[in-house]
Amino acid sequence: MRTANRLRTPSRTTLGLALATATLALLTGACSMQEAMCGGGEYPVLFVGSGGRACVPDGEEPPKGYARYPEGKVPEHVGDKWDTYWMTRTLDANGETVGLPDEN
């Protein structure tokens, strides 16, 4: 009756399941590895007339000289579709999308 007190070695099924779980965790975690534009509880704003940007706490209005990105064109991660789009554009004083002025 000593066999009841012995620890069992993990079976192949258990090891396979553990490896599959670890692999799944790594693969699904990779999506969140993109650098967010702002931290939690903040949203990105654009400096009017230039390529500057900042992050503002949720519930607060943008500081003077900054504006919210147009709805549906808000960058969420560094290098995403809208971050790339806004690298060559900005908003003018009327809220219209315009090309960034040349820095020459």
Side-chain angles (χ1 to χ4, degrees):
M1 301 280 173
R2 295 183 146 204
T3 57
N5 292 333
R6 255 191 305 176
L7 293 175
R8 291 185 177 182
T9 58
S11 68
R12 288 184 187 175
T13 305
T14 304
L15 288 174
L17 183 58
L19 286 173
T21 302
T23 302
L24 181 63
L26 287 172
L27 292 175
T28 57
C31 294
S32 62
M33 300 278 294
Q34 288 182 309
E35 185 178 351
M37 292 297 294
C38 294
E42 297 179 317
Y43 67 94
V45 292
L46 183 65
F47 191 68
V48 176
S50 82
R53 56 179 105 189
C55 294
V56 176
D58 290 341
E60 290 186 19
E61 289 300 314
K64 184 175 178 157
Y66 286 84
R68 294 177 186 265
Y69 286 91
E71 190 173 337
K73 295 182 178 181
V74 181
E76 294 181 15
H77 296 97
V78 174
D80 72 10
K81 173 184 172 180
W82 294 116
D83 181 40
T84 303
Y85 176 86
W86 289 108
M87 286 182 181
T88 58
R89 297 167 183 85
T90 190
L91 296 175
D92 66 12
N94 298 319
E96 299 294 321
T97 303
V98 295
L100 280 174
D102 290 334
E103 294 185 24
N104 294 334

XYZ file of all heavy atoms in Angstrom:
775
model
N 0.802 -1.193 0.000
C 0.000 0.000 0.000
C 0.845 1.257 0.000
O 0.323 2.319 0.137
C -0.924 0.015 1.215
C -1.843 -1.122 1.309
S -3.215 -0.806 0.211
C -4.039 -2.316 0.328
N 2.104 1.117 -0.127
C 2.971 2.275 -0.177
C 2.815 3.067 -1.464
O 3.161 4.222 -1.522
C 4.422 1.856 -0.015
C 4.701 1.264 1.320
C 6.151 0.950 1.442
N 6.502 1.169 2.828
C 7.697 1.438 3.240
N 8.689 1.476 2.399
N 7.934 1.639 4.511
N 2.305 2.492 -2.512
C 2.184 3.181 -3.794
C 1.207 4.340 -3.728
O 1.304 5.277 -4.497
C 1.737 2.224 -4.901
O 0.506 1.635 -4.527
C 2.790 1.180 -5.164
N 0.280 4.339 -2.818
C -0.692 5.428 -2.695
C -0.040 6.708 -2.215
O -0.519 7.799 -2.492
C -1.827 5.025 -1.746
N 1.061 6.608 -1.502
C 1.741 7.786 -0.970
C 2.780 8.353 -1.928
O 3.323 9.418 -1.683
C 2.417 7.444 0.362
C 1.404 7.163 1.434
O 0.284 7.668 1.384
N 1.784 6.362 2.420
N 3.089 7.633 -2.981
C 4.087 8.093 -3.943
C 3.512 9.159 -4.863
O 2.347 9.100 -5.242
C 4.560 6.935 -4.813
C 5.927 6.458 -4.426
C 6.479 5.517 -5.425
N 5.548 4.403 -5.640
C 5.727 3.460 -6.521
N 6.786 3.479 -7.294
N 4.874 2.491 -6.665
N 4.338 10.134 -5.215
C 3.911 11.148 -6.184
C 3.971 10.564 -7.578
O 4.912 9.849 -7.927
C 4.813 12.382 -6.106
C 4.723 13.184 -4.825
C 5.776 14.301 -4.863
C 3.345 13.780 -4.667
N 3.001 10.862 -8.380
C 2.987 10.379 -9.760
C 3.783 11.326 -10.644
O 3.761 12.535 -10.442
C 1.560 10.322 -10.296
C 0.731 9.275 -9.662
C -0.591 9.241 -10.342
N -1.406 8.172 -9.801
C -2.610 7.895 -10.238
N -3.142 8.604 -11.204
N -3.297 6.917 -9.710
N 4.434 10.798 -11.641
C 5.116 11.639 -12.618
C 4.073 12.100 -13.636
O 3.128 11.376 -13.945
C 6.245 10.869 -13.331
O 5.689 9.731 -13.955
C 7.329 10.463 -12.356
N 4.204 13.308 -14.136
C 3.211 13.812 -15.089
C 3.158 12.947 -16.346
O 4.170 12.466 -16.838
C 3.703 15.214 -15.436
C 4.750 15.545 -14.438
C 5.241 14.262 -13.857
N 1.979 12.779 -16.853
C 1.820 11.986 -18.067
C 2.121 12.835 -19.293
O 2.233 14.055 -19.215
C 0.398 11.437 -18.146
O -0.509 12.503 -18.363
N 2.232 12.205 -20.424
C 2.468 12.928 -21.680
C 1.318 13.865 -21.989
O 1.518 14.968 -22.484
C 2.650 11.949 -22.831
C 3.944 11.222 -22.796
C 4.085 10.360 -24.021
N 5.272 9.535 -23.896
C 5.610 8.628 -24.749
N 4.848 8.377 -25.799
N 6.708 7.924 -24.576
N 0.119 13.437 -21.675
C -1.052 14.286 -21.928
C -0.980 15.566 -21.104
O -1.227 16.656 -21.598
C -2.355 13.522 -21.600
O -2.372 12.315 -22.341
C -3.568 14.352 -21.904
N -0.610 15.444 -19.849
C -0.505 16.608 -18.968
C 0.580 17.552 -19.461
O 0.387 18.768 -19.508
C -0.208 16.161 -17.531
O -1.225 15.244 -17.112
C -0.173 17.341 -16.582
N 1.726 17.002 -19.832
C 2.807 17.842 -20.348
C 2.406 18.520 -21.654
O 2.683 19.704 -21.865
C 4.070 17.010 -20.558
C 4.792 16.563 -19.289
C 5.954 15.629 -19.641
C 5.290 17.749 -18.507
N 1.743 17.792 -22.525
C 1.285 18.371 -23.796
C 0.291 19.495 -23.567
O 0.354 20.541 -24.218
N -0.612 19.278 -22.624
C -1.605 20.316 -22.306
C -0.935 21.554 -21.725
O -1.283 22.685 -22.072
C -2.639 19.753 -21.328
C -3.786 20.668 -20.957
C -4.561 21.100 -22.198
C -4.720 19.987 -19.971
N 0.050 21.360 -20.874
C 0.779 22.491 -20.287
C 1.524 23.276 -21.362
O 1.506 24.512 -21.371
C 1.743 21.990 -19.227
N 2.169 22.572 -22.282
C 2.879 23.251 -23.374
C 1.925 23.995 -24.294
O 2.201 25.120 -24.723
C 3.713 22.241 -24.177
C 4.974 21.733 -23.494
C 5.602 20.614 -24.310
C 5.958 22.863 -23.297
N 0.784 23.391 -24.601
C -0.209 24.047 -25.461
C -0.751 25.303 -24.795
O -0.921 26.345 -25.438
C -1.340 23.082 -25.784
N -0.993 25.242 -23.495
C -1.495 26.401 -22.753
C -0.461 27.524 -22.747
O -0.793 28.684 -22.962
C -1.858 25.994 -21.317
O -2.831 24.952 -21.371
C -2.402 27.158 -20.527
N 0.792 27.179 -22.508
C 1.853 28.189 -22.498
C 2.011 28.831 -23.873
O 2.175 30.046 -23.991
C 3.169 27.557 -22.054
N 1.946 28.029 -24.925
C 2.050 28.551 -26.287
C 0.898 29.486 -26.605
O 1.093 30.578 -27.151
C 2.096 27.401 -27.307
O 3.201 26.554 -26.999
C 2.227 27.916 -28.722
N -0.301 29.103 -26.241
C -1.471 29.945 -26.468
C -1.348 31.266 -25.721
O -1.661 32.327 -26.260
C -2.742 29.208 -26.050
C -4.047 29.960 -26.263
C -4.269 30.230 -27.750
C -5.214 29.165 -25.703
N -0.872 31.225 -24.498
C -0.702 32.449 -23.711
C 0.307 33.383 -24.374
O 0.097 34.599 -24.430
C -0.259 32.103 -22.298
N 1.388 32.840 -24.888
C 2.386 33.666 -25.569
C 1.842 34.271 -26.854
O 2.081 35.436 -27.157
C 3.640 32.845 -25.874
C 4.522 32.521 -24.683
C 5.627 31.549 -25.097
C 5.116 33.787 -24.101
N 1.116 33.485 -27.618
C 0.586 33.982 -28.890
C -0.489 35.041 -28.692
O -0.530 36.033 -29.409
C 0.042 32.822 -29.726
C 1.087 31.848 -30.258
C 0.407 30.687 -30.970
C 2.055 32.552 -31.188
N -1.364 34.863 -27.749
C -2.418 35.862 -27.524
C -1.866 37.078 -26.814
O -2.363 38.177 -27.000
C -3.600 35.273 -26.721
O -3.112 34.755 -25.489
C -4.313 34.199 -27.498
N -0.829 36.918 -26.040
C -0.210 38.057 -25.372
C 0.568 38.934 -26.320
O 0.787 40.108 -26.061
N 0.988 38.408 -27.455
C 1.766 39.184 -28.415
C 0.962 40.346 -28.981
O 1.514 41.382 -29.329
C 2.256 38.286 -29.538
N -0.346 40.209 -29.071
C -1.178 41.290 -29.593
C -1.116 42.509 -28.696
O -1.182 43.627 -29.162
C -2.632 40.829 -29.727
S -2.830 39.536 -30.955
N -0.983 42.291 -27.401
C -0.956 43.415 -26.478
C 0.449 43.977 -26.305
O 0.656 44.874 -25.508
C -1.523 42.997 -25.123
O -0.724 41.986 -24.568
N 1.412 43.466 -27.054
C 2.778 43.929 -26.951
C 2.983 45.244 -27.705
O 4.005 45.880 -27.540
C 3.744 42.876 -27.494
C 3.693 41.551 -26.784
S 4.631 41.471 -25.280
C 6.275 41.647 -25.885
N 2.009 45.648 -28.538
C 2.136 46.916 -29.240
C 2.112 48.050 -28.229
O 1.352 48.021 -27.272
C 0.987 47.111 -30.226
C 1.046 46.234 -31.433
C -0.117 46.547 -32.357
O -1.257 46.575 -31.939
N 0.194 46.793 -33.602
N 2.929 49.054 -28.472
C 2.991 50.195 -27.573
C 1.766 51.073 -27.775
O 1.489 51.549 -28.871
C 4.261 50.997 -27.842
C 4.465 52.117 -26.869
C 5.757 52.873 -27.116
O 6.581 52.425 -27.928
O 5.930 53.919 -26.502
N 1.016 51.281 -26.717
C -0.185 52.105 -26.775
C 0.203 53.576 -26.927
O 1.256 54.013 -26.459
C -1.015 51.920 -25.514
N -0.643 54.339 -27.602
C -0.396 55.772 -27.767
C -0.403 56.476 -26.410
O 0.384 57.372 -26.170
C -1.458 56.405 -28.669
C -1.388 55.969 -30.112
S 0.137 56.412 -30.954
C 0.051 58.178 -30.973
N -1.318 56.087 -25.541
C -1.445 56.688 -24.216
C -1.636 55.587 -23.183
O -1.992 54.459 -23.526
C -2.648 57.633 -24.175
S -2.471 59.080 -25.242
N -1.441 55.937 -21.951
C -1.643 54.983 -20.878
C -3.121 54.808 -20.571
O -3.979 55.514 -21.111
N -3.426 53.882 -19.709
C -4.807 53.651 -19.308
C -5.387 54.904 -18.668
O -4.705 55.618 -17.931
N -6.622 55.210 -18.996
C -7.261 56.391 -18.437
C -6.898 57.678 -19.144
O -7.164 58.768 -18.638
N -6.285 57.573 -20.326
C -5.909 58.750 -21.107
C -6.328 58.562 -22.559
O -6.558 57.450 -23.008
C -4.391 58.967 -21.085
C -3.809 59.244 -19.734
C -2.300 59.426 -19.797
O -1.625 58.653 -20.505
O -1.808 60.338 -19.142
N -6.411 59.678 -23.277
C -6.683 59.623 -24.709
C -5.729 60.564 -25.436
O -5.269 61.559 -24.861
C -8.151 59.966 -25.009
C -8.539 61.397 -24.725
C -8.505 62.366 -25.726
C -8.957 61.794 -23.462
C -8.860 63.683 -25.486
C -9.328 63.103 -23.206
C -9.273 64.044 -24.216
O -9.621 65.358 -23.964
N -5.399 60.263 -26.705
C -4.447 61.097 -27.448
C -5.115 62.351 -28.026
O -6.279 62.329 -28.403
C -3.963 60.169 -28.565
C -5.102 59.235 -28.793
C -5.769 59.057 -27.455
N -4.342 63.430 -28.071
C -4.783 64.678 -28.702
C -3.687 65.157 -29.642
O -2.519 64.797 -29.500
C -5.118 65.770 -27.659
C -6.345 65.395 -26.863
C -3.953 66.043 -26.734
N -4.072 65.969 -30.603
C -3.181 66.459 -31.653
C -2.951 67.948 -31.473
O -3.893 68.702 -31.191
C -3.847 66.175 -33.004
C -3.132 66.520 -34.281
C -1.869 65.669 -34.425
C -4.053 66.255 -35.462
N -1.699 68.391 -31.621
C -1.406 69.817 -31.547
C -1.822 70.457 -32.866
O -1.371 70.059 -33.935
C 0.085 70.045 -31.276
C 0.431 71.461 -30.935
C 0.000 72.020 -29.749
C 1.178 72.231 -31.791
C 0.316 73.330 -29.424
C 1.509 73.542 -31.483
C 1.073 74.103 -30.297
N -2.701 71.429 -32.795
C -3.251 72.076 -33.991
C -2.141 72.802 -34.746
O -1.370 73.558 -34.161
C -4.382 73.062 -33.609
C -4.883 73.818 -34.831
C -5.521 72.317 -32.926
N -2.048 72.529 -36.050
C -1.091 73.219 -36.911
C 0.299 72.620 -36.929
O 1.185 73.143 -37.589
N 0.522 71.530 -36.196
C 1.840 70.891 -36.222
C 1.682 69.392 -36.005
O 0.572 68.897 -35.874
C 2.750 71.493 -35.151
O 2.498 70.905 -33.897
N 2.792 68.699 -35.940
C 2.759 67.253 -35.750
C 2.836 66.833 -34.298
O 2.975 65.662 -34.002
N 2.730 67.783 -33.381
C 2.814 67.452 -31.960
C 1.588 66.712 -31.463
O 0.501 66.812 -32.032
N 1.771 65.960 -30.428
C 0.663 65.227 -29.816
C 0.930 65.082 -28.328
O 2.038 65.254 -27.868
C 0.464 63.879 -30.480
C 1.687 63.000 -30.475
C 1.425 61.677 -31.124
N 2.044 61.631 -32.449
C 1.857 60.678 -33.318
N 1.069 59.682 -33.035
N 2.444 60.680 -34.471
N -0.120 64.755 -27.618
C -0.017 64.571 -26.172
C -1.114 63.610 -25.722
O -1.951 63.192 -26.527
C -0.159 65.918 -25.464
N -1.105 63.286 -24.454
C -2.145 62.452 -23.862
C -2.828 63.251 -22.756
O -2.166 63.963 -22.004
C -1.536 61.179 -23.286
S -0.833 60.101 -24.555
N -4.138 63.137 -22.702
C -4.942 63.884 -21.748
C -5.754 62.892 -20.921
O -6.279 61.916 -21.470
C -5.890 64.857 -22.497
C -6.811 65.576 -21.543
C -5.091 65.845 -23.326
N -5.870 63.123 -19.616
C -6.684 62.219 -18.797
C -8.140 62.190 -19.276
O -8.696 63.219 -19.661
C -6.596 62.819 -17.392
C -5.331 63.622 -17.395
C -5.201 64.149 -18.798
N -8.736 60.995 -19.258
C -10.151 60.859 -19.611
C -10.971 61.823 -18.764
O -10.681 62.031 -17.585
C -10.636 59.423 -19.362
C -10.036 58.423 -20.338
O -9.536 58.833 -21.406
O -10.072 57.216 -20.026
N -11.979 62.412 -19.379
C -12.858 63.335 -18.672
C -12.382 64.773 -18.685
O -13.113 65.664 -18.278
N -11.155 65.018 -19.137
C -10.638 66.382 -19.235
C -10.630 66.823 -20.688
O -10.478 66.021 -21.594
C -9.219 66.475 -18.665
C -9.146 66.320 -17.172
C -7.749 66.570 -16.632
O -6.914 67.194 -17.335
O -7.490 66.125 -15.507
N -10.776 68.117 -20.900
C -10.702 68.691 -22.238
C -9.238 68.853 -22.640
O -8.367 69.005 -21.774
C -11.410 70.051 -22.281
C -12.920 69.943 -22.179
C -13.533 69.131 -23.317
O -13.157 69.367 -24.480
O -14.368 68.263 -23.031
N -8.944 68.839 -23.942
C -7.560 69.052 -24.386
C -7.065 70.438 -23.972
O -7.846 71.391 -23.901
C -7.654 68.961 -25.912
C -8.928 68.242 -26.196
C -9.845 68.571 -25.061
N -5.769 70.586 -23.698
C -5.213 71.899 -23.370
C -5.323 72.855 -24.559
O -5.522 72.416 -25.697
C -3.755 71.617 -23.041
C -3.545 70.156 -23.112
C -4.765 69.534 -23.672
N -5.158 74.126 -24.299
C -5.220 75.136 -25.358
C -4.192 74.810 -26.444
O -3.049 74.468 -26.161
C -4.931 76.520 -24.781
C -5.072 77.613 -25.785
C -4.900 78.975 -25.171
C -5.022 79.984 -26.283
N -5.408 81.274 -25.819
N -4.642 74.883 -27.705
C -3.772 74.590 -28.838
C -3.841 73.138 -29.293
O -3.284 72.801 -30.325
N -4.496 72.284 -28.526
C -4.651 70.873 -28.873
C -6.103 70.579 -29.210
O -7.007 71.294 -28.782
C -4.217 69.968 -27.711
C -2.732 69.901 -27.509
C -2.072 70.870 -26.757
C -1.981 68.877 -28.063
C -0.702 70.810 -26.561
C -0.610 68.815 -27.875
C 0.020 69.785 -27.126
O 1.384 69.726 -26.942
N -6.323 69.538 -29.971
C -7.683 69.121 -30.337
C -7.756 67.601 -30.329
O -6.750 66.917 -30.496
C -8.041 69.645 -31.729
N -8.963 67.110 -30.133
C -9.187 65.663 -30.238
C -9.016 65.256 -31.700
O -9.298 66.028 -32.604
C -10.595 65.296 -29.791
C -10.849 65.534 -28.317
C -12.310 65.209 -27.995
N -12.634 65.551 -26.644
C -12.605 64.708 -25.615
N -12.273 63.449 -25.829
N -12.903 65.109 -24.408
N -8.569 64.028 -31.906
C -8.523 63.486 -33.262
C -9.957 63.330 -33.762
O -10.869 63.082 -32.970
C -7.834 62.110 -33.272
C -6.335 62.169 -33.102
C -5.762 62.099 -31.842
C -5.501 62.283 -34.208
C -4.380 62.139 -31.681
C -4.122 62.321 -34.054
C -3.567 62.251 -32.793
O -2.204 62.297 -32.642
N -10.174 63.465 -35.069
C -11.523 63.246 -35.601
C -12.007 61.830 -35.294
O -11.215 60.883 -35.276
C -11.352 63.443 -37.115
C -10.116 64.266 -37.269
C -9.229 63.871 -36.118
N -13.286 61.704 -35.047
C -13.864 60.397 -34.734
C -13.557 59.386 -35.839
O -13.662 59.694 -37.018
C -15.380 60.528 -34.568
C -16.024 59.283 -34.019
C -17.487 59.469 -33.697
O -17.928 60.617 -33.483
O -18.190 58.452 -33.672
N -13.147 58.214 -35.444
C -12.813 57.160 -36.397
C -11.391 57.242 -36.937
O -10.962 56.384 -37.691
N -10.643 58.288 -36.556
C -9.269 58.462 -37.031
C -8.297 58.631 -35.860
O -7.299 59.322 -35.959
C -9.173 59.674 -37.955
C -9.958 59.509 -39.238
C -9.786 60.710 -40.148
C -10.536 60.504 -41.449
N -10.361 61.639 -42.361
N -8.621 57.980 -34.762
C -7.818 58.100 -33.552
C -6.772 56.988 -33.513
O -7.117 55.808 -33.559
C -8.714 58.008 -32.291
C -7.878 58.146 -31.033
C -9.812 59.055 -32.343
N -5.481 57.344 -33.429
C -4.461 56.304 -33.308
C -4.548 55.634 -31.940
O -4.779 56.301 -30.929
C -3.144 57.064 -33.472
C -3.457 58.480 -33.138
C -4.903 58.682 -33.458
N -4.394 54.319 -31.921
C -4.451 53.586 -30.662
C -3.089 53.032 -30.265
O -2.774 52.950 -29.091
C -5.457 52.449 -30.767
C -6.880 52.946 -30.927
C -7.887 51.817 -31.018
O -7.533 50.666 -30.675
O -9.018 52.083 -31.430
N -2.283 52.637 -31.276
C -0.961 52.071 -31.025
C 0.067 52.761 -31.907
O -0.247 53.190 -33.016
C -0.944 50.566 -31.315
C -1.845 49.796 -30.419
N -3.110 49.428 -30.785
C -1.669 49.343 -29.156
C -3.679 48.775 -29.796
N -2.834 48.711 -28.797
N 1.287 52.845 -31.415
C 2.380 53.426 -32.186
C 2.552 52.614 -33.467
O 2.623 51.390 -33.431
C 3.680 53.436 -31.358
C 4.852 53.900 -32.202
C 3.525 54.309 -30.123
N 2.549 53.304 -34.601
C 2.748 52.656 -35.889
C 1.496 52.083 -36.518
O 1.575 51.502 -37.592
N 0.332 52.229 -35.871
C -0.889 51.696 -36.488
C -1.326 52.583 -37.652
O -0.680 53.579 -37.981
C -2.011 51.474 -35.466
C -2.651 52.757 -34.923
O -2.386 53.862 -35.434
O -3.440 52.641 -33.958
N -2.414 52.215 -38.300
C -2.904 52.910 -39.499
C -3.067 54.417 -39.261
O -2.603 55.231 -40.062
C -4.246 52.293 -39.901
C -4.969 53.001 -41.010
C -6.323 52.337 -41.245
C -7.175 53.122 -42.223
N -8.470 52.485 -42.447
N -3.697 54.794 -38.157
C -3.967 56.216 -37.925
C -2.746 56.958 -37.400
O -2.570 58.148 -37.664
C -5.180 56.395 -37.015
C -6.409 55.911 -37.713
C -7.210 54.867 -37.364
C -6.964 56.435 -38.934
N -8.215 54.708 -38.273
C -8.105 55.658 -39.249
C -6.620 57.472 -39.797
C -8.881 55.889 -40.381
C -7.395 57.699 -40.919
C -8.508 56.920 -41.196
N -1.857 56.293 -36.687
C -0.618 56.940 -36.274
C 0.192 57.304 -37.508
O 0.695 58.424 -37.626
C 0.174 56.009 -35.354
C 1.461 56.637 -34.864
O 1.473 57.841 -34.551
O 2.479 55.919 -34.787
N 0.287 56.386 -38.451
C 1.010 56.644 -39.700
C 0.331 57.767 -40.491
O 1.005 58.654 -41.027
C 1.072 55.351 -40.544
O 1.684 54.328 -39.751
C 1.871 55.549 -41.808
N -0.979 57.741 -40.559
C -1.745 58.766 -41.282
C -1.435 60.157 -40.732
O -1.182 61.100 -41.491
C -3.238 58.450 -41.133
C -4.181 59.469 -41.731
C -4.532 59.412 -43.065
C -4.747 60.461 -40.941
C -5.422 60.330 -43.613
C -5.636 61.380 -41.472
C -5.977 61.309 -42.806
O -6.854 62.220 -43.348
N -1.444 60.299 -39.403
C -1.248 61.621 -38.791
C 0.206 62.072 -38.768
O 0.494 63.205 -38.392
C -1.849 61.642 -37.390
C -3.343 61.613 -37.430
C -4.152 60.581 -37.090
C -4.216 62.661 -37.882
N -5.465 60.911 -37.293
C -5.539 62.182 -37.786
C -4.006 63.949 -38.370
C -6.635 62.947 -38.150
C -5.097 64.717 -38.728
C -6.395 64.221 -38.619
N 1.142 61.251 -39.200
C 2.539 61.684 -39.276
C 2.744 62.706 -40.381
O 3.720 63.453 -40.360
C 3.455 60.481 -39.494
C 3.625 59.645 -38.267
S 4.767 58.300 -38.613
C 4.747 57.475 -37.044
N 1.830 62.749 -41.366
C 1.966 63.692 -42.481
C 0.819 64.702 -42.525
O 0.723 65.478 -43.466
C 2.006 62.931 -43.823
O 0.810 62.150 -43.954
C 3.225 62.020 -43.889
N -0.059 64.682 -41.536
C -1.220 65.572 -41.518
C -1.428 66.155 -40.129
O -0.879 65.676 -39.145
C -2.480 64.806 -41.926
C -2.443 64.274 -43.338
C -3.576 63.269 -43.538
N -3.553 62.671 -44.866
C -2.819 61.625 -45.203
N -2.045 61.041 -44.322
N -2.860 61.143 -46.429
N -2.249 67.179 -40.076
C -2.639 67.786 -38.812
C -4.015 68.413 -38.987
O -4.631 68.278 -40.050
C -1.602 68.839 -38.352
O -1.910 69.231 -37.010
C -1.565 70.049 -39.266
N -4.474 69.090 -37.966
C -5.725 69.839 -38.054
C -5.401 71.313 -38.073
O -4.483 71.773 -37.380
C -6.623 69.522 -36.844
C -7.105 68.085 -36.709
C -7.877 67.918 -35.405
C -7.967 67.687 -37.894
N -6.173 72.092 -38.851
C -5.993 73.543 -38.830
C -6.908 74.135 -37.759
O -7.626 73.412 -37.054
C -6.222 74.159 -40.214
C -7.650 74.044 -40.712
O -8.563 73.698 -39.928
O -7.874 74.309 -41.908
N -6.905 75.443 -37.649
C -7.695 76.128 -36.619
C -9.197 75.901 -36.787
O -9.957 76.044 -35.827
C -7.384 77.624 -36.645
N -9.638 75.519 -37.996
C -11.059 75.257 -38.251
C -11.426 73.787 -38.072
O -12.559 73.382 -38.333
C -11.436 75.708 -39.664
C -11.230 77.187 -39.856
O -11.538 77.981 -38.970
N -10.678 77.561 -40.995
N -10.453 72.962 -37.689
C -10.713 71.533 -37.498
C -10.646 70.720 -38.770
O -11.015 69.561 -38.789
N -10.159 71.332 -39.857
C -10.014 70.633 -41.131
C -8.667 69.917 -41.181
O -7.657 70.433 -40.688
C -10.102 71.618 -42.297
C -11.428 72.348 -42.381
C -12.593 71.423 -42.692
O -12.428 70.494 -43.514
O -13.666 71.635 -42.104
N -8.645 68.738 -41.781
C -7.402 67.985 -41.958
C -6.576 68.622 -43.062
O -7.076 68.846 -44.170
C -7.700 66.520 -42.295
O -8.506 65.951 -41.254
C -6.423 65.712 -42.429
N -5.326 68.946 -42.761
C -4.415 69.548 -43.725
C -3.066 68.847 -43.638
O -2.748 68.216 -42.633
C -4.234 71.073 -43.469
C -5.540 71.812 -43.699
C -3.693 71.340 -42.089
N -2.275 68.987 -44.701
C -0.922 68.436 -44.675
C -0.055 69.209 -43.709
O -0.291 70.398 -43.453
N 0.931 68.553 -43.144
C 1.847 69.245 -42.245
C 2.667 70.264 -43.023
O 3.096 69.986 -44.157
C 2.794 68.251 -41.577
C 2.230 67.481 -40.394
C 3.237 66.421 -39.940
C 1.893 68.392 -39.250
N 2.890 71.424 -42.450
C 3.722 72.418 -43.129
C 5.168 71.931 -43.237
O 5.651 71.184 -42.381
C 3.633 73.651 -42.237
C 3.054 73.205 -40.942
C 2.393 71.890 -41.172
N 5.840 72.324 -44.330
C 7.245 71.984 -44.508
C 8.064 72.674 -43.427
O 7.791 73.792 -43.036
C 7.758 72.415 -45.883
C 7.158 71.579 -47.000
O 6.779 70.421 -46.738
O 7.049 72.100 -48.130
N 9.097 71.979 -42.962
C 9.951 72.548 -41.908
C 11.173 73.222 -42.482
O 12.184 73.363 -41.813
C 10.341 71.453 -40.936
C 9.159 70.912 -40.158
C 9.578 69.908 -39.100
O 10.741 69.956 -38.649
O 8.757 69.089 -38.722
N 11.170 73.651 -43.739
C 12.325 74.314 -44.357
C 12.394 75.741 -43.969
O 11.607 76.504 -43.793
C 12.267 74.183 -45.884
C 12.429 72.730 -46.289
O 13.030 71.949 -45.573
N 11.889 72.379 -47.447
